[in-house]
Amino acid sequence: MRAFVTGATGFIGTAVVRELIDAGHQVLGLARSDAAAKSLAGAGADVHRGSLEDLESLRGGAAAADGVIHTAFIHDFSNYGPAAEADRRAIETLGSALAGSDRPLIITSGTLLAQRQGSLATEEDAPNPNFPRKSEEAALALAARGVRASVLRLPPSVHGNGDHGFVPCLINIAREKRVSAFVGDGLNRWPAVHRFDAAHLYRLVLEKGIASAAYHGVADEGVPTREIAEVIGRHLNVRVVSKSREEAADHFGWIAHFFGIDGPASSAQTQARLGWRPEQPGLISDLNADHYFEHAAHAVALHS
């Protein structure tokens, strides 16, 4: 199968490209720069120049492929509304190129967008209609028009060497403020998955996924945030402290809302449907690896 991959040079996308090529698929990767094009070519993928905002480039890439994996997103939380709107337009454009065919389109979403919070979220839970990101709604609208669109929800922590997301942000905050903090009692839970396990799931959904289905790329159903803070504190040799919800915003900045959510999630249905079995280290084991503390100082929070 020839797969068009957006976000192909990102933290998750590079793992997806490698997974697909190793499984015998051809990859056409979206590249918005010369450096990205060189990286893709070096990985053995074909290069398609363009960007998330260049809808004609997206339409052309999808038209030239047997299926599409959409991992790209503009991770700018200071300008989230326009980023979410750009994602919606991109999904609609990709879907329009696949209309009238059985070619799959896999859209990326998040388990924290599921409406159920405070209890175990499952693949059957609907997305929160009040959240600005409308990836799932766009995918379901395409499926209603006959596009084989499905959704892969990722947890807030997709971890592994090279991670530049939430966990490195927490490490940098702890390093700067000389305490590693959690919110309240720290019993609120974060689901997690290693990026190599997530990449394997993307391939399975590409090969076996069905229209309108939601799949969960979750290995750890819910790691208490206090445990995350404790590992960070131990590695940085700083105190581990609790911050009230009122104090959290000042201490953590924009990440406070996310780190305070109790959002455990299950992948039981996904594993049963697709035979997916996470095999990589869990979040705490991975966080105990030196690479997180070697690279965290250079991480740029959630920018890809």
Side-chain angles (χ1 to χ4, degrees), residues 35-304:
K38 183 178 179 180
S39 174
L40 280 170
D46 294 328
V47 176
H48 183 77
R49 294 302 294 258
S51 69
L52 202 59
E53 298 92 343
D54 182 352
L55 300 183
E56 283 305 310
S57 72
L58 296 181
R59 188 175 289 109
D66 301 312
V68 176
I69 294 177
H70 177 50
T71 71
F73 189 80
I74 302 169
H75 288 107
D76 183 358
F77 283 88
S78 66
N79 207 24
Y80 196 76
E85 177 59 19
D87 183 54
R88 185 193 62 78
R89 290 195 302 267
I91 292 169
E92 291 181 348
T93 300
L94 293 167
S96 69
L98 301 176
S101 73
D102 191 41
R103 292 175 291 167
L105 169 62
I106 296 100
I107 299 305
T108 304
S109 183
T111 60
L112 292 186
L113 272 63
Q115 280 188 284
R116 183 187 305 187
Q117 290 186 5
S119 57
L120 198 65
T122 74
E123 293 86 343
E124 296 177 352
D125 288 321
N128 185 339
N130 298 318
F131 201 80
R133 187 170 178 178
K134 303 299 182 183
S135 311
E136 297 196 27
E137 291 89 337
L140 290 175
L142 289 170
R145 290 163 43 196
V147 179
R148 190 176 144 200
S150 54
V151 173
L152 199 163
R153 291 174 179 161
L154 294 175
S157 180
V158 180
H159 56 90
N161 198 352
D163 183 2
H164 53 266
F166 283 119
V167 170
C169 283
L170 295 171
I171 293 172
N172 286 338
I173 291 168
R175 181 179 277 121
E176 175 189 347
K177 301 202 172 182
R178 303 308 302 162
V179 294
S180 180
F182 53 88
V183 181
D185 59 14
L187 296 181
N188 60 300
R189 297 154 291 178
W190 263 19
V193 69
H194 194 282
R195 71 177 183 131
F196 292 158
D197 284 326
H200 181 53
L201 181 56
Y202 273 104
R203 176 169 69 83
L204 292 178
V205 176
L206 181 74
E207 295 169 346
K208 305 177 183 180
I210 60 175
S212 301
Y215 300 95
H216 279 191
V218 173
D220 292 315
E221 289 190 345
V223 179
T225 55
R226 180 169 186 155
E227 290 186 22
I228 298 172
E230 288 171 345
V231 174
I232 293 172
R234 185 165 62 251
H235 277 266
L236 296 182
N237 194 28
V238 298
R239 290 186 304 119
V240 179
V241 301
S242 169
K243 295 291 181 180
S244 69
R245 294 199 174 273
E246 293 73 25
E247 296 170 324
D250 180 63
H251 181 84
F252 291 109
W254 63 268
I255 199 175
H257 170 71
F258 297 96
F259 200 47
I261 288 175
D262 184 34
S266 167
S267 62
Q269 293 180 29
T270 296
Q271 294 191 42
R273 292 172 184 168
L274 299 180
W276 178 64
R277 298 291 182 271
E279 297 178 348
Q280 300 297 323
L283 176 58
I284 295 300
S285 294
D286 202 16
L287 188 52
N288 270 308
D290 291 338
H291 65 81
Y292 262 102
F293 298 90
E294 291 169 351
H295 299 303
H298 307 291
V300 179
L302 289 176
H303 179 74
S304 62

